[in-house]
Amino acid sequence: MQKLVVRGYALSLDGFSSAPGQSLENPFGKDGLAIMDWAWQTRTIRSTFGQEGGTTGIDNDFLAKATDNIGANILGRNMFGPVRGPWTDEDWKGWWGPNPPYHTPVFVVTSHPRAALPMEGGTTFHFVTDGIESALQQAFAAAQGKDVRLGGGATLIRQYLRAGLVDELHLVITNKLLGSGERLFEATDNIARDYECVETVGSETVTHVRLVKKDRT
């Protein structure tokens, strides 16, 4: 059975997944990129962006598995870029350059329509304007039996959590303090009822936590 999963999603020690003030220069908000310091050091991430070297071990192993059996991705509008409102200028094609790291169909949940955007390496961005369930249905169909990865941001993940649609979450708790920003678990009282922690693994830099939806049959 296909699953909707969150993998490698980093949080600050005080519970934020990004800082205020997102801009072209600051995709995670002002100083928010600090919660990704652990990832940039790994061999998996460095190779993803065409760089050599990098660390192996626990953090790298988790990131290497993050794309296992993933056939499509879902993103929120702010994860695609800093542009707000109608797409008056469609020159913006994402943070990642001509060859994004997804290599699958990607469904961007937005309020503003835009034509599908094919990129190099097998990534095509599809812009979904009729809600999270429609995006998930389209992603499952495009994934052809594989799982779908939900990439964030926090607002979008919360919507899927409240709807009970997320099957697994792999969260990465860092030692960074952001002080403000987007809290992943804001107003998600169903988490304690519907999910259980099945794995906790600490590395030298972060703690990996894996939650799965309880079997309520």
Side-chain angles (χ1 to χ4, degrees):
M1 182 177 177
Q2 287 179 292
K3 296 183 293 186
L4 178 63
V5 300
V6 175
R7 292 183 179 162
Y9 196 77
L11 298 175
S12 69
L13 193 58
D14 47 350
F16 299 102
S17 63
S18 63
Q22 186 192 51
S23 65
L24 181 60
E25 296 77 19
N26 297 291
F28 279 68
K30 184 173 173 22
D31 299 325
L33 203 57
I35 65 172
M36 293 300 295
D37 284 350
W38 64 279
W40 306 136
Q41 302 171 25
T42 64
R43 179 171 296 179
T44 292
I45 292 298
R46 291 182 65 84
S47 65
T48 297
F49 292 97
Q51 301 173 356
E52 297 182 356
T55 60
T56 57
I58 293 171
D59 297 339
N60 187 71
D61 290 347
F62 270 100
L63 286 176
K65 296 175 183 177
T67 56
D68 284 357
N69 197 45
I70 297 299
N73 286 264
I74 298 175
L75 299 178
R77 169 75 180 266
N78 294 358
M79 286 289 290
F80 179 74
V83 182
R84 302 292 187 267
W87 301 97
T88 57
D89 183 355
E90 296 192 2
D91 287 342
W92 178 260
K93 295 178 173 60
W95 305 103
W96 311 274
N99 190 355
Y102 298 102
H103 311 298
T104 71
V106 178
F107 296 85
V108 180
V109 180
T110 176
S111 299
H112 302 280
R114 179 175 173 175
L117 178 60
M119 305 289 286
E120 296 176 15
T123 299
T124 298
F125 293 106
H126 303 271
F127 300 89
V128 181
T129 59
D130 53 348
I132 62 170
E133 294 191 6
S134 175
L136 183 57
Q137 291 172 0
Q138 293 181 56
F140 274 152
Q144 299 182 356
K146 293 185 176 181
D147 295 334
V148 172
R149 182 176 179 181
L150 178 59
T155 299
L156 185 66
I157 294 178
R158 283 198 303 270
Q159 292 180 55
Y160 278 101
L161 284 171
R162 290 172 188 157
L165 296 173
V166 179
D167 296 293
E168 297 182 7
L169 299 94
H170 163 222
L171 307 175
V172 185
I173 313 303
T174 72
N175 62 0
K176 308 297 183 180
L177 295 166
L178 295 183
S180 61
E182 284 279 350
R183 288 190 185 275
L184 177 61
F185 291 131
E186 188 77 32
T188 52
D189 298 342
N190 63 309
I191 293 297
R193 182 188 70 242
D194 296 339
Y195 293 84
E196 60 184 338
C197 180
V198 297
E199 187 176 18
T200 303
V201 180
S203 72
E204 294 182 358
T205 54
V206 299
T207 301
H208 298 269
V209 178
R210 196 161 63 87
L211 308 177
V212 299
K213 187 191 293 185
K214 295 177 182 177
D215 184 1
R216 306 185 67 83
T217 59

